[in-house]
Amino acid sequence: MMRYRSCLILALTIGVAHIAIAQDAKPNYDESKIPAYTLPDPLAGIESAAQWPARRKQILEQFAAEMFGKVPTDKFNAISVKDAGTRKQVLGGKATMWQPVITLAGRDLNLLVVMPTDSQQAPAFLAYNFHGNHTVLDDADIPLTKNWVRSKPDNRAREEDRGSAASRWAVEKIIDNGFALVTLYYGDVDPDVDDGFENGVHAAFPDKPAADQWGSIATWAWGLSRVLDFLGTVPEIDETRVAVMGHSRLGKTSLWAGANDERFALVISNNSGCGGAAISRRRIGESVARINTSFPHWFCDNFLKYNDNESQLPFDQHMLIALMAPRPVYVASAVEDTWADPRGEFLAAKHATPVYELLGREGLPADEMPAVDEPSQGSIGYHIRSGGHSVTEFDWTQYIKFAKRHLMNEQ
Ligand code: GCU
């Protein structure tokens, strides 16, 4: 367990007392037991919009060095097209599906693209899927991934799972509203398992990540940027209007992708929780210590310093949201998803608002947590919907409405 070893080394080196991992600590769900905290000010030291880019850079670098980890080198950024894919019509002809395969750092990324037939320069949603492209659409032409798959017998993709995640992907609605959908399996880039960074794209990188270098979330985010590079070569898709979307750990990923790569025109976090949109200092539901223990490969080793020590973080997650400014960003929660701290997600969206306002944008219109199933949408969008940890038709309806307003100029 490479991450555990480096945790010990780090503890010895920097002597941080708080590094002990609260493995068995019970999660807190009681608002009255939240420790008193002060949020760092995203606008600290600046007064004008002109000063924001420098401040933004500073915040971005802190998040990179202390939490997600930096990409070690841009030497492996180049992509090549291995198979351009053939187009076929689906959804009664109104959509065209194709499956280009691109190679990145020696790995094949199998894309599934569904776009309005005859679209030219369509805006697109780009999102990773959890278990393979065949789970998004029930279509016999979509090959099963051969890569390691989480929570499946023998960690293999199965024929019987074709279309099993279809309810999480409002494909027809996306098409009917003039958007393309581009998806790929996140395990194509890096299998979601703590293997000491031996597999996935990491295999191409000569050295193991240093304490301030990427964990898997940053690696997946890097992969999304490389897919965006590819989309720039696709005439039917407008790479200047790509919304990057993700659910849960992949929502943490979409936020980090959007923070790093300002080419993403819009960013969506669905139920991203701890390490995503939720304020770390609240310690409601999943905590920093808990996430670092359960998923030692997700963040960089420096993030271990903040186990049970959130007050020392030089930032909090409202500043991650603020890194999207002035671009539109949407944060979505679900009532029963208490592990992800819905209120903490709302507060991050709210406390990013001063940055948007400094840049002349509205930010989040709601001052208080909106009622269930009643979205609030400015340049920051937020909703808390009924139900649990998932992506639903309701969520997609809001994302499409938000994206139409911001990427298609439609009210
Ligand atoms: C776990 C994890 C969360 C994560 C979620 C998911 O619940 O603790 O941080 O968001 O998995 O990705 O489904």
Side-chain angles (χ1 to χ4, degrees):
M1 295 294 247
M2 180 259 170
R3 282 301 198 197
Y4 181 63
R5 256 201 328 270
S6 25
C7 161
L8 288 179
I9 293 164
L10 196 71
L12 293 171
T13 318
I14 58 177
V16 174
H18 296 281
I19 215 147
I21 291 174
Q23 198 149 351
D24 301 319
K26 270 207 163 151
N28 177 41
Y29 292 104
D30 182 346
E31 290 278 331
S32 73
K33 296 203 176 110
I34 293 175
Y37 68 84
T38 311
L39 286 181
D41 181 0
L43 296 177
I46 73 164
E47 276 157 21
S48 69
Q51 293 169 306
W52 171 246
R55 172 70 176 136
R56 180 185 189 282
K57 187 163 176 279
Q58 185 184 40
I59 298 171
L60 183 68
E61 283 171 3
Q62 286 175 329
F63 269 107
E66 299 295 308
M67 184 172 183
F68 295 101
K70 305 172 195 167
V71 179
T73 166
D74 57 10
K75 222 168 84 187
F76 299 97
N77 275 15
I79 47 155
S80 58
V81 178
K82 181 170 178 179
D83 179 354
T86 47
R87 287 157 167 73
K88 79 162 190 177
Q89 296 203 342
V90 293
L91 298 178
K94 65 184 172 188
T96 298
M97 175 184 118
W98 55 295
Q99 302 182 75
V101 182
I102 62 177
T103 305
L104 172 67
R107 298 278 293 184
D108 287 347
L109 312 189
N110 300 276
L111 309 188
L112 173 63
V113 183
V114 188
M115 56 198 189
T117 298
D118 301 328
S119 67
Q120 286 177 355
Q121 298 280 298
F125 290 98
L126 167 62
Y128 280 125
N129 59 69
F130 275 88
H131 293 106
N133 295 346
H134 65 291
T135 63
V136 174
L137 271 184
D138 182 2
D139 186 309
D141 286 340
I142 303 176
L144 302 189
T145 176
K146 295 193 177 64
N147 290 326
W148 186 98
V149 182
R150 197 171 64 93
S151 58
K152 297 286 173 197
D154 299 324
N155 299 110
R156 291 286 145 217
R158 303 179 306 181
E159 209 35 69
E160 66 201 82
D161 290 332
R162 282 192 184 283
S164 59
S167 70
R168 288 185 170 196
W169 299 89
V171 179
E172 189 154 7
K173 190 171 247 179
I174 290 171
I175 295 298
D176 288 345
N177 282 281
F179 292 88
L181 172 67
V182 181
T183 183
L184 69 159
Y185 172 49
Y186 75 137
D188 279 7
V189 175
D190 186 23
D192 190 2
V193 58
D194 181 25
D195 69 332
F197 296 103
E198 305 235 318
N199 63 14
V201 291
H202 294 122
F205 288 74
D207 302 316
K208 300 283 179 221
D212 65 349
Q213 290 181 339
W214 63 5
S216 291
I217 291 176
T219 311
W220 296 320
W222 175 76
L224 289 170
S225 285
R226 305 292 68 84
V227 173
L228 185 57
D229 295 343
F230 168 72
L231 295 180
T233 69
V234 177
E236 294 94 335
I237 291 178
D238 181 356
E239 84 271 23
T240 69
R241 290 187 296 155
V242 173
V244 63
M245 181 272 180
H247 168 59
S248 207
R249 67 197 67 189
L250 298 177
K252 310 180 209 298
T253 303
S254 62
L255 288 173
W256 187 234
N260 271 291
D261 192 337
E262 293 182 89
R263 295 175 303 162
F264 287 116
L266 189 150
V267 182
I268 301 166
S269 146
N270 191 90
N271 304 179
S272 63
C274 179
I279 297 289
S280 302
R281 281 170 173 78
R282 283 170 50 82
R283 303 182 53 142
I284 288 270
E286 190 171 29
S287 65
V288 169
R290 180 72 254 175
I291 203 167
N292 276 334
T293 308
S294 311
F295 306 100
H297 56 298
W298 281 4
F299 299 95
C300 74
D301 279 352
N302 276 345
F303 196 43
L304 295 164
K305 290 190 272 180
Y306 305 100
N307 286 346
D308 300 320
N309 192 27
E310 292 86 351
S311 64
Q312 294 308 304
L313 279 163
F315 44 72
D316 212 314
Q317 301 308 102
H318 61 308
M319 289 159 76
L320 180 61
I321 307 298
L323 289 175
M324 313 308 160
R327 294 164 298 156
V329 56
Y330 204 109
V331 175
S333 308
V335 174
E336 291 159 26
D337 188 21
T338 52
W339 183 238
D341 186 14
R343 186 167 172 74
E345 294 180 317
F346 161 72
L347 289 172
K350 177 182 154 95
H351 291 299
T353 289
V355 176
Y356 280 77
E357 287 174 348
L358 184 73
L359 302 181
R361 302 296 158 101
E362 187 183 12
L364 182 67
D367 273 340
E368 300 300 328
M369 182 117 173
V372 174
D373 297 332
E374 288 183 22
S376 170
Q377 299 188 7
S379 285
I380 304 177
Y382 177 82
H383 70 246
I384 175 161
R385 69 159 164 75
S386 35
H389 187 70
S390 189
V391 194
T392 68
E393 185 83 15
F394 179 88
D395 295 318
W396 274 110
T397 302
Q398 308 319 316
Y399 303 151
I400 290 168
K401 183 177 169 200
F402 188 68
K404 283 184 98 167
R405 185 171 146 210
H406 290 287
L407 301 182
M408 291 178 169
N409 260 331
E410 283 180 33
Q411 288 315 306

